[in-house]
Amino acid sequence: MGRLFWKFFSFFVLAQMASIIGVSLFFWISAQQQASERQARELLRSGPMEMALLEAAKGTLHYGGEAGLSDLLWLWSQRQMPQVFAVDEAGQELLQRPLPAGIEEILRSGRGVAVGHDSQGKAIRLFTLDGRRMGPGFGAMPPPQPMYGDRRPPGPPGRMGGPPDPHGPMFPWTPVLAGLIASLVFAALLAWYVSKPIKELRGAFARVAGGNLKDKVSPAMGRRRDELADLGRGFDRMTEQLHALMQGQKRLLHYVSHEMRSPLARLQMGIGLAKQNPERLGDTLDRIEMESMRMDKLLGEVLELSRLESGIMAVKKERIMLSELLEGVVEDARFEASAKHVDIQSRIEEDAEIEAQPDLLYRALENVLRNAIKYSPDYSEVSLETQRRDGGLAVLVSDRGSGIPETELDNIFQPFYRADSAGNVSGHGLGLAITKQVLDLHGGKIRLQNRQGGGLVVEISLPVA
């Protein structure tokens, strides 16, 4: 178990124990108070004999005063009989005998209580308690000692609240122990539930650091639907993207080396021919120049794609009218189309102001239109039109070429990917990859679909400024 497990475990155990002990203590104190009141209520007697004793005590108080009542109560305390207690206005028992806890609250109700007055009108509450239930010797007083004339010294000092009941409620240790065991079990389960996916993530990070980009965390998360499961799924998406980027870089290196090999071989062949046949030096130099231009174009496209994919290219957007940009693209493409006798039908009926970097967007639109011309048969037609779509503007480029197999439509935007239907048409397979990256930087989208009757339709969606 890791450190996080023990932190969660300790925290929840302490929290549970604090709540259990607090609740148990509250109910225990309440039970103690209720037991004291119940005990005092049971000790308070109000039968015929007790009422007769109270009337005798009231008469003694009236005619003999506190001294007479004190002598009478002391005499009764030496006998096995219900004991009469007298409490003055200050709450002190006349003989200083201890009283059960909670008796004061019961006395306020007046039930079983007689109020007597001495000759001076001083009120004293009188009541009887069951001495047998109070325990042996309760209420018994020491023998009188002559002192201060005919008055006895007060008995042993006491306090309101009698001795603790040996049968009273004990502290509830059983629920505390049960709560402790339950807290340990549930805290362990909760800590394990939280720390297990984190442990899985830590192991996955270690495996990814070792180069295993195919490692998945989601299966280990099970059916969780919480933030940790979201973190695991995010980790899987991150590793998938890293794996795709690494594979893309490997493919890029492989394709670049493959594409560069052919023009380099032709350059070497041209140099050899120039050495062997000096009289054909002009033709050989033209071939060498053409191959060097192909290499330069390939390297330029690779560098541009690399900058776009890395995200280091800063896009400087400005407000432009899309129709003006499209008209320039169409005019520049007509020269290439005329060599194949391909007619470009331009229907720029919808226009809008967009935010874009003109040269980048021009390059992306030009790639799409030149591809349509390149893959169209001679004496055919290519159309370019604009339409309003979902609050934005769509540019549709259609041709009458051989189209793209449906199984290859999702792969056509990968660098150096060329469809099987491309045939012998020259190219490196970077144009559409660059176009997609440029549109992503401008918040646009590109979608391909085969045209009924043959050909391809490329739809470019751009947001309106």
Side-chain angles (χ1 to χ4, degrees), residues 275-342:
K275 291 180 179 180
Q276 295 175 5
N277 299 313
E279 65 275 5
R280 298 186 59 185
L281 182 61
D283 295 337
T284 304
L285 289 177
D286 292 340
R287 183 69 178 180
I288 292 175
E289 182 183 12
M290 182 179 66
E291 296 298 334
S292 64
M293 291 176 61
R294 287 181 178 177
M295 290 180 60
D296 181 67
K297 181 181 179 182
L298 172 62
L299 290 176
E301 289 180 343
V302 169
L303 290 174
E304 183 175 5
L305 179 63
S306 177
R307 287 195 300 268
L308 290 171
E309 288 183 340
S310 65
I312 62 175
M313 177 179 288
V315 180
K316 300 178 181 178
K317 296 181 180 180
E318 58 184 76
R319 287 179 176 264
I320 58 174
M321 298 303 296
L322 183 60
S323 60
E324 297 178 2
L325 192 68
L326 289 174
E327 289 171 359
V329 172
V330 171
E331 289 301 321
D332 289 343
R334 288 192 188 279
F335 177 76
E336 184 176 345
S338 62
K340 296 183 64 176
H341 305 283
V342 173

Side-chain angles (χ1 to χ4, degrees), residues 230-462:
D230 294 340
L231 182 62
R233 288 188 287 270
F235 176 84
D236 289 347
R237 288 193 297 270
M238 178 192 71
T239 55
E240 289 175 359
Q241 293 176 359
L242 287 175
H243 180 70
L245 289 175
M246 293 293 291
Q247 293 299 316
Q249 293 296 326
K250 290 180 181 179
R251 285 196 303 270
L252 182 63
L253 181 60
H254 171 73
Y255 290 139
V256 167
S257 61
H258 179 270
E259 293 292 334
M260 292 284 286
R261 187 178 291 114
S262 296
L264 282 174
R266 288 191 288 268
L267 280 174
Q268 292 173 356
M269 185 182 299
I271 293 173
L273 290 174
K275 291 180 179 180
Q276 295 175 5
N277 299 313
E279 65 275 5
R280 298 186 59 185
L281 182 61
D283 295 337
T284 304
L285 289 177
D286 292 340
R287 183 69 178 180
I288 292 175
E289 182 183 12
M290 182 179 66
E291 296 298 334
S292 64
M293 291 176 61
R294 287 181 178 177
M295 290 180 60
D296 181 67
K297 181 181 179 182
L298 172 62
L299 290 176
E301 289 180 343
V302 169
L303 290 174
E304 183 175 5
L305 179 63
S306 177
R307 287 195 300 268
L308 290 171
E309 288 183 340
S310 65
I312 62 175
M313 177 179 288
V315 180
K316 300 178 181 178
K317 296 181 180 180
E318 58 184 76
R319 287 179 176 264
I320 58 174
M321 298 303 296
L322 183 60
S323 60
E324 297 178 2
L325 192 68
L326 289 174
E327 289 171 359
V329 172
V330 171
E331 289 301 321
D332 289 343
R334 288 192 188 279
F335 177 76
E336 184 176 345
S338 62
K340 296 183 64 176
H341 305 283
V342 173
D343 184 28
I344 300 178
Q345 297 291 329
S346 175
R347 293 186 294 274
I348 307 176
E349 300 174 356
E350 299 287 344
D351 192 14
E353 189 178 34
I354 62 174
E355 289 186 352
Q357 183 170 329
D359 56 338
L360 282 181
L361 188 57
Y362 183 94
R363 175 72 184 276
L365 296 172
E366 183 186 39
N367 283 339
V368 174
L369 186 57
R370 287 185 180 276
N371 269 354
I373 296 171
K374 185 188 301 183
Y375 291 100
S376 294
D378 294 348
Y379 300 97
S380 62
E381 178 183 281
V382 171
S383 66
L384 183 148
E385 62 178 319
T386 58
Q387 296 179 1
R388 287 281 180 176
R389 295 281 181 87
D390 300 329
L393 198 65
V395 179
L396 284 80
V397 179
S398 307
D399 62 59
R400 284 297 180 182
S402 57
I404 299 175
E406 295 291 336
T407 57
E408 300 183 29
L409 286 175
D410 295 335
N411 302 323
I412 201 67
F413 296 107
Q414 295 180 6
F416 295 102
Y417 187 89
R418 301 191 67 197
D420 294 336
S421 58
N424 296 323
V425 179
S426 62
H428 304 294
L430 292 174
L432 288 179
I434 293 175
T435 298
K436 186 177 186 305
Q437 292 293 329
V438 171
L439 292 176
D440 289 343
L441 290 175
H442 288 81
K445 296 180 180 179
I446 182 171
R447 188 170 66 93
L448 308 180
Q449 65 179 24
N450 287 308
R451 189 177 181 184
Q452 292 183 354
L456 188 72
V457 178
V458 181
E459 180 182 337
I460 298 174
S461 301
L462 291 169

